[in-house]
C-alpha cells in the first residue's frame, strides 16, 4: 500500500477479548458497516426507482435486492465527523458533543467497536478521511486500522483489497468480527476517470470543474450558478458514483458468492448527501435539507428479509443499537437510537422524531436544528428564531415552506425540538493537528 501513496497504521491494540460464552444459543454474526461518504440516497438505483439498465449503482442494487432497504434514513448531521460519531455511538450530536473539528469523543462515551471487542469480536477500521480516527477518539476499540489520505487518490480498489484480506483471515480464525469501511471517494474533488464519464457527462463550456476549493469559493461568495453549471457538477458527481460502484464490485461479489450471508450482516449507508443548488448552495455541511440529510441504508445478510423495503423513519444513530443487539451486547446508558432488528420481524418502530444538528458554517457554528416526524419537517435557525416547515407528503423535495400556513404544526414540532435541546453534553478538545492535517482539512473546507 505504501508504494501506492497510502499509509497503513495500527490504530490501537488496547481492545480485550472476553470470548463468546458457552451459553450462547448460536455464534453471533459477523458485522460489516460500509459508509460511502457524501452519497445521496436519490442517486442509488434501488432508492431512486431507476431501472437497472440506467442505474448508476448496479452493484449496490443487487445487494439491495437480496436485503432490506430503508427508504427514510436520516443523517443526524450534514457532515462527516458528527454524523459518524452518531453512527458509532448511537447518540445524537448534542449527546456525544462532537460538533466541530476541534472536538473528540469523550472518554466516557462508549464506542461500538469497544463494546463489540469486549464481547470477543475482532475489529478493524479502513478509513478514508482525516476527520475520522485517532485525533477524534474514534480509534478506541479497533485492533487494526488502515488510513487512506484523500490526497492519495481514489481509495476504493485498495480498500476493497484490504477488506477482503482481513475478512478472509478472520474467517479462517473462526473469530466473530466487526469491520468498518469508510470510503471518501465521492467527496470533492469530483474526479471520476474518463471512462466513467462517457455517456453521462455532457459537453460543457463553463468554468466549473468540480474541485472542492472552487465550490467552497462559490458557496462562500454566494456566487449564482447557471443551470449548465449545476447540471455539469451533478453529472460529474454521478460519474463518481458509477466509478465507486464499479470499484466496490469485488467486495459485493465476495459477499454474494462466498456464503458469508449465512453468518454475516452487512450495512451500507452514507454520512450525508450533497447539494446541487436545490436550495441555492453546493457541497454539504451547512444546510438541513433533504439533499444533505436523506441517506441510503441497506441491510443484508443473516436474518435480514430479502427484497424488502421499509418506510420506517430511521436515523444513523440507530445503527449502533442494531449491531449491539445482533451481537448480544446490552446497550449502554445514553443511547438515542433504536435497534432496527424488530423491523426484520415484521414490527414497526412506531411514530417517532428524527433529529439533526451540528452544521459547521453559517452565521456561526451549529446554527440550525432539524426535527421531522412521519409527515412534516421543521428547520430552526437558533440564532434568528426563524422556522421553515415542509409538508413531505405533498412536496417531498422541500421546495415550499408552509410555516405560515400551518402554525399549529410549527408549534407542535417546536415544542418537541425544545425538549430535545434542553440538555447538551460537552466534548473535550482534540489534540492539535499537524501542518499536513490542517492543510488537508483546509482543502476540504472544514477549517479556515
Amino acid at each position: 500500500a505504501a508504494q501506492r501513496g497510502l499509509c497503513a497504521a495500527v490504530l490501537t491494540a488496547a481492545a480485550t477479548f472476553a470470548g463468546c460464552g458457552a451459553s450462547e444459543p448460536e455464534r453471533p454474526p459477523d458485522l460489516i458497516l460500509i459508509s460511502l461518504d457524501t452519497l445521496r440516497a436519490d442517486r442509488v438505483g434501488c432508492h431512486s426507482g431507476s431501472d437497472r439498465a440506467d442505474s448508476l449503482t448496479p452493484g449496490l442494487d443487487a445487494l439491495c435486492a437480496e436485503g432490506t432497504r430503508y427508504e427514510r434514513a436520516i443523517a443526524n448531521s450534514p457532515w462527516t465527523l458528527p454524523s459518524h460519531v452518531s453512527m458509532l455511538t448511537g447518540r445524537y450530536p448534542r449527546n456525544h458533543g462532537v460538533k466541530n473539528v476541534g472536538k473528540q469523543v469523550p472518554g466516557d462515551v462508549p464506542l461500538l467497536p469497544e463494546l463489540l471487542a469486549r464481547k470477543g469480536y475482532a475489529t478493524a477500521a479502513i478509513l478514508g478521511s482525516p476527520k475520522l480516527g485517532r485525533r477524534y477518539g474514534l480509534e478506541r476499540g479497533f485492533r487494526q486500522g488502515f488510513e487512506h489520505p484523500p490526497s492519495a487518490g481514489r481509495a476504493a480498489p485498495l480498500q476493497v483489497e484490504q477488506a477482503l484480506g482481513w475478512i478472509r483471515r478472520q474467517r479462517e480464525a473462526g473469530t466473530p468480527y466487526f469491520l468498518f469501511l469508510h470510503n471518501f471517494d465521492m467527496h470533492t474533488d469530483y474526479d471520476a476517470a474518463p471512462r466513467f464519464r462517457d455517456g453521462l457527462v455532457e459537453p460543457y463550456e463553463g468554468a466549473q470543474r468540480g474541485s472542492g476549493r472552487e465550490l467552497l469559493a462559490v458557496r462562500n461568495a454566494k456566487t449564482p450558478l447557471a443551470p449548465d453549471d449545476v447540471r455539469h457538477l451533478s453529472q460529474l458527481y454521478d460519474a463518481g458514483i458509477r466509478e465507486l460502484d464499479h470499484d466496490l464490485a469485488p467486495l459485493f461479489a465476495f459477499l454474494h458468492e462466498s456464503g458469508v450471508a449465512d453468518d454475516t450482516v452487512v450495512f451500507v449507508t452514507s454520512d450525508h448527501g450533497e447539494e446541487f443548488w436545490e436550495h441555492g448552495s453546493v457541497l454539504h455541511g451547512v444546510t438541513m435539507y433533504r439533499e444533505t440529510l436523506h441517506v441510503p441504508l441497506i441491510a443484508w445478510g443473516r436474518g435480514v428479509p430479502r427484497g424488502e423495503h421499509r418506510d420506517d423513519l430511521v436515523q444513523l444513530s440507530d445503527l449502533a443499537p442494531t449491531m449491539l443487539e445482533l451481537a448480544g451486547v446490552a446497550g449502554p446508558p445514553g443511547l438515542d437510537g433504536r435497534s432496527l432488528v424488530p423491523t426484520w420481524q415484521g414490527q414497526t418502530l412506531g411514530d417517532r422524531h428524527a433529529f439533526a444538528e451540528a452544521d459547521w458554517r453559517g452565521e456561526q457554528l451549529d446554527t440550525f436544528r432539524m426535527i421531522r416526524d412521519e409527515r412534516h419537517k421543521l428547520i430552526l435557525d437558533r440564532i434568528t428564531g426563524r422556522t421553515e416547515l415542509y409538508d413531505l407528503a405533498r412536496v417531498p423535495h422541500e421546495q415550499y415552506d408552509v410555516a405560515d400556513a400551518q402554525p399549529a404544526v410549527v408549534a407542535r414540532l417546536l415544542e418537541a425540538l425544545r425538549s430535545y435541546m434542553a440538555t447538551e453534553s460537552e466534548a473535550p478538545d482534540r489534540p492539535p493537528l499537524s501542518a499536513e492535517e490542517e492543510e488537508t482539512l483546509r482543502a476540504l473546507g472544514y477549517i479556515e
Side-chain angles (χ1 to χ4, degrees):
Q3 66 186 13
R4 301 175 75 171
L6 304 176
C7 65
V10 173
L11 297 180
T12 182
T16 59
F17 289 80
C20 296
S23 62
E24 292 280 344
E26 62 179 340
R27 179 185 184 276
D30 301 321
L31 299 168
I32 300 174
L33 173 58
I34 301 172
S35 175
L36 305 177
D37 206 294
T38 322
L39 178 60
R40 292 170 56 136
D42 63 4
R43 303 301 174 92
V44 176
C46 66
H47 277 285
S48 68
S50 296
D51 294 330
R52 289 289 293 275
D54 64 3
S55 173
L56 299 169
T57 57
L60 277 172
D61 296 347
L63 196 74
C64 197
E66 294 184 356
T68 293
R69 72 181 186 269
Y70 292 87
E71 300 288 7
R72 297 193 297 168
I74 307 300
N76 297 116
S77 175
W79 65 284
T80 299
L81 178 58
S83 191
H84 278 102
V85 177
S86 289
M87 204 183 297
L88 293 172
T89 64
R91 299 185 182 211
Y92 298 138
R94 71 179 31 257
N95 291 331
H96 59 62
V98 185
K99 292 191 175 187
N100 62 66
V101 293
K103 299 296 182 180
Q104 64 176 332
V105 182
D108 60 353
V109 173
L111 290 169
L112 175 65
E114 288 182 295
L115 298 169
L116 293 176
R118 293 172 193 163
K119 178 69 174 179
Y121 275 71
T123 56
I126 300 176
L127 304 177
S129 171
K131 296 188 296 298
L132 303 178
R134 292 184 295 272
R135 295 288 185 187
Y136 302 97
L138 287 168
E139 84 286 0
R140 297 196 329 252
F142 287 114
R143 292 201 63 185
Q144 189 173 15
F146 308 89
E147 296 181 357
H148 297 257
S151 59
R154 296 187 75 89
L158 285 179
Q159 288 185 312
V160 168
E161 181 180 321
Q162 289 171 330
L164 291 177
W166 190 83
I167 290 170
R168 289 186 177 109
R169 290 193 295 274
Q170 308 318 308
R171 288 175 65 80
E172 289 174 1
T175 305
Y177 64 82
F178 168 61
L179 174 66
F180 173 46
L181 193 161
H182 168 255
N183 177 269
F184 204 61
D185 291 349
M186 285 303 306
H187 199 284
T188 49
D189 297 344
Y190 307 144
D191 58 357
R195 67 189 179 106
F196 296 101
R197 302 186 186 198
D198 290 348
L200 185 61
V201 180
E202 300 172 8
Y204 168 73
E205 297 180 356
Q208 297 302 318
R209 296 294 178 266
S211 87
R213 289 184 185 273
E214 290 174 350
L215 290 172
L216 282 167
V218 166
R219 184 171 69 188
N220 292 345
K222 296 182 167 65
T223 305
L225 290 180
D228 282 354
D229 297 328
V230 176
R231 185 183 67 250
H232 181 65
L233 291 169
S234 183
Q235 289 173 349
L236 291 177
Y237 174 81
D238 285 351
I241 296 175
R242 178 187 280 177
E243 182 169 10
L244 177 59
D245 190 81
H246 172 271
D247 290 344
L248 294 173
L251 177 58
F252 295 149
F254 173 80
L255 295 175
H256 290 304
E257 298 166 5
S258 65
V260 300
D262 295 336
D263 49 27
T264 306
V265 181
V266 179
F267 299 90
V268 182
T269 190
S270 180
D271 54 344
H272 57 77
E274 190 81 318
E275 295 186 74
F276 292 100
W277 218 248
E278 293 89 346
H279 290 86
S281 189
V282 291
L283 301 174
H284 57 271
V286 174
T287 69
M288 296 286 175
Y289 298 112
R290 174 187 176 93
E291 49 268 27
T292 60
L293 294 183
H294 183 209
V295 294
L297 178 56
I298 300 166
W300 176 95
R302 188 171 103 180
V304 181
R306 292 173 58 91
E308 188 167 305
H309 65 90
R310 301 283 309 193
D311 289 326
D312 307 81
L313 183 57
V314 303
Q315 310 173 67
L316 292 183
S317 52
D318 295 331
L319 285 169
T322 303
M323 285 182 269
L324 290 175
E325 179 172 347
L326 290 170
V329 177
L335 290 179
D336 295 307
R338 295 172 58 184
S339 172
L340 303 180
V341 172
T343 68
W344 304 348
Q345 301 159 352
Q347 302 177 40
T348 66
L349 297 180
D351 293 343
R352 67 188 304 211
H353 292 116
F355 298 97
E357 58 185 319
D359 57 282
W360 58 269
R361 184 169 300 185
E363 295 300 321
Q364 58 179 282
L365 290 173
D366 195 28
T367 297
F368 299 105
R369 302 287 184 272
M370 187 284 296
I371 180 173
R372 64 157 293 176
D373 60 16
E374 299 298 322
R375 174 163 179 167
H376 294 94
K377 172 176 176 176
L378 182 138
I379 300 171
L380 170 68
D381 183 328
R382 70 176 182 86
I383 307 299
T384 66
R386 179 177 181 268
T387 59
E388 301 170 54
L389 181 70
Y390 298 97
D391 187 335
L392 304 177
R394 293 188 176 185
V395 186
H397 295 289
E398 304 167 8
Q399 292 298 322
Y400 299 101
D401 180 359
V402 297
D404 291 340
Q406 300 189 40
V409 178
V410 171
R412 172 172 56 81
L413 290 177
L414 272 179
E415 182 179 3
L417 185 58
R418 286 175 179 138
S419 176
Y420 164 78
M421 293 167 56
T423 60
E424 184 164 9
S425 299
E426 288 291 329
D429 293 340
R430 54 130 174 88
L433 299 174
S434 68
E436 181 181 3
E437 288 169 327
E438 283 193 1
E439 177 54 30
T440 299
L441 289 176
R442 187 171 292 109
L444 295 170
Y446 289 103
I447 59 175
E448 295 290 350

